[in-house]
Amino acid sequence: MEVAIVTGASRGIGRATALKLAEEYAVVVNYHHQESRAMEVVAAIENKGGKAIAVQGDVSNYEDAKRIVENSTEMGKLKILVNNAGVYDVKPFIRTLPSEWERIFQVNVFGMFNMIHASIEHMEWGKIVNIASIIGLHPMARAAPYCSSKAAVIALTKSLAQELGPKIKVMCVAPGPTDTDMLRRIHGPMPADPPEKVANVIMEIIKSGVEGECRVV
């Protein structure tokens, strides 16, 4: 059985992506804190005849990343990794603490490094999709750490695409505003795409994307 890992899959884009991938793959639903919501995702997949497990882990911790990947290999052959887990904040740069900058990079950039590093030795071939952001391409004010981290994700994607391809195809998706808990917590109600729209684009790039592509949603 072919397996897909989705990090941060208990809600939002990760949840929608896990449900979509489950139509074709066994899915590892990674979560950090939201166990009950992760189990709801697993139940939804199983109720539709799919196969899934929930695996707790903080992707910014390399040992956790290795454990997430090891759990996936017990289900079958790892073919897909969707690096979705991320953190976001908005505040004036002058009020941003070094620890806040570091935490955003730990999850958004080092988390992807950890998951990719732990995964590639288990992939005979496969596809890696990193979730970037439109503001990694077109940065906005009051979000310097997040914008910088997502720009790093795009650069990481393009570099690894050259290094790991064609055996492992590395691509990224850059969503605009998406209706998630994280967005509502920071910005309140605002026009935003449903997570399912992003999940559909992730599936499209898995099927037809080219190495190093960063597809804007």
Side-chain angles (χ1 to χ4, degrees):
M1 180 172 287
E2 295 185 342
V3 180
I5 298 173
V6 184
T7 65
S10 64
R11 55 186 179 173
I13 293 171
R15 179 184 188 278
T17 302
L19 292 171
K20 191 70 178 176
L21 281 165
E23 298 171 7
E24 299 183 30
Y25 302 91
V27 179
V28 173
V29 176
N30 162 250
Y31 68 97
H32 189 190
H33 299 297
Q34 302 282 339
E35 180 178 14
S36 61
R37 296 182 71 166
M39 294 308 298
E40 289 172 4
V41 178
V42 170
I45 290 171
E46 292 178 341
N47 287 341
K48 292 185 177 182
K51 184 175 181 181
I53 59 171
V55 181
Q56 192 279 335
D58 178 357
V59 297
S60 69
N61 181 294
Y62 187 64
E63 294 304 316
D64 278 15
K66 288 199 297 183
R67 181 169 48 78
I68 295 165
V69 172
E70 287 164 3
N71 274 268
S72 78
T73 61
E74 294 174 5
M75 300 177 72
K77 293 184 177 181
L78 178 59
K79 298 298 183 184
I80 306 292
L81 170 62
V82 178
N83 280 311
N84 166 74
V87 292
Y88 174 57
D89 199 8
V90 173
K91 65 168 54 177
F93 180 77
I94 194 65
R95 288 174 45 205
T96 301
L97 300 175
S99 60
E100 293 171 327
W101 182 287
E102 182 178 8
R103 180 57 183 163
I104 287 174
F105 268 74
Q106 281 178 336
V107 177
N108 295 1
V109 183
F110 283 90
M112 289 194 184
F113 167 86
N114 290 340
M115 289 301 302
I116 294 169
H117 198 274
S119 295
I120 56 177
E121 65 178 289
H122 297 283
M123 285 183 167
E124 296 177 11
W125 60 268
K127 297 176 183 178
I128 296 170
V129 180
N130 299 322
I131 306 305
S133 170
I134 190 67
I135 61 174
L137 291 165
H138 306 289
M140 72 179 200
R142 298 167 60 92
Y146 184 81
C147 294
S148 299
S149 72
K150 292 303 185 176
V153 167
I154 295 167
L156 172 67
T157 298
K158 292 181 179 296
S159 176
L160 288 182
Q162 297 175 57
E163 183 173 346
L164 301 180
K167 173 184 170 184
I168 299 174
K169 187 180 290 187
V170 187
M171 302 159 289
C172 68
V173 170
T178 306
D179 188 16
T180 64
D181 293 349
M182 187 169 67
L183 186 79
R184 291 192 296 269
R185 176 176 57 83
I186 300 293
H187 295 289
M190 64 177 291
D193 289 327
E196 291 75 16
K197 178 179 178 181
V198 182
N200 287 335
V201 173
I202 291 169
M203 286 299 295
E204 289 172 8
I205 203 170
I206 286 172
K207 292 178 180 295
S208 62
V210 299
E211 296 165 21
E213 177 180 2
C214 185
R215 188 169 298 185
V216 176
V217 180

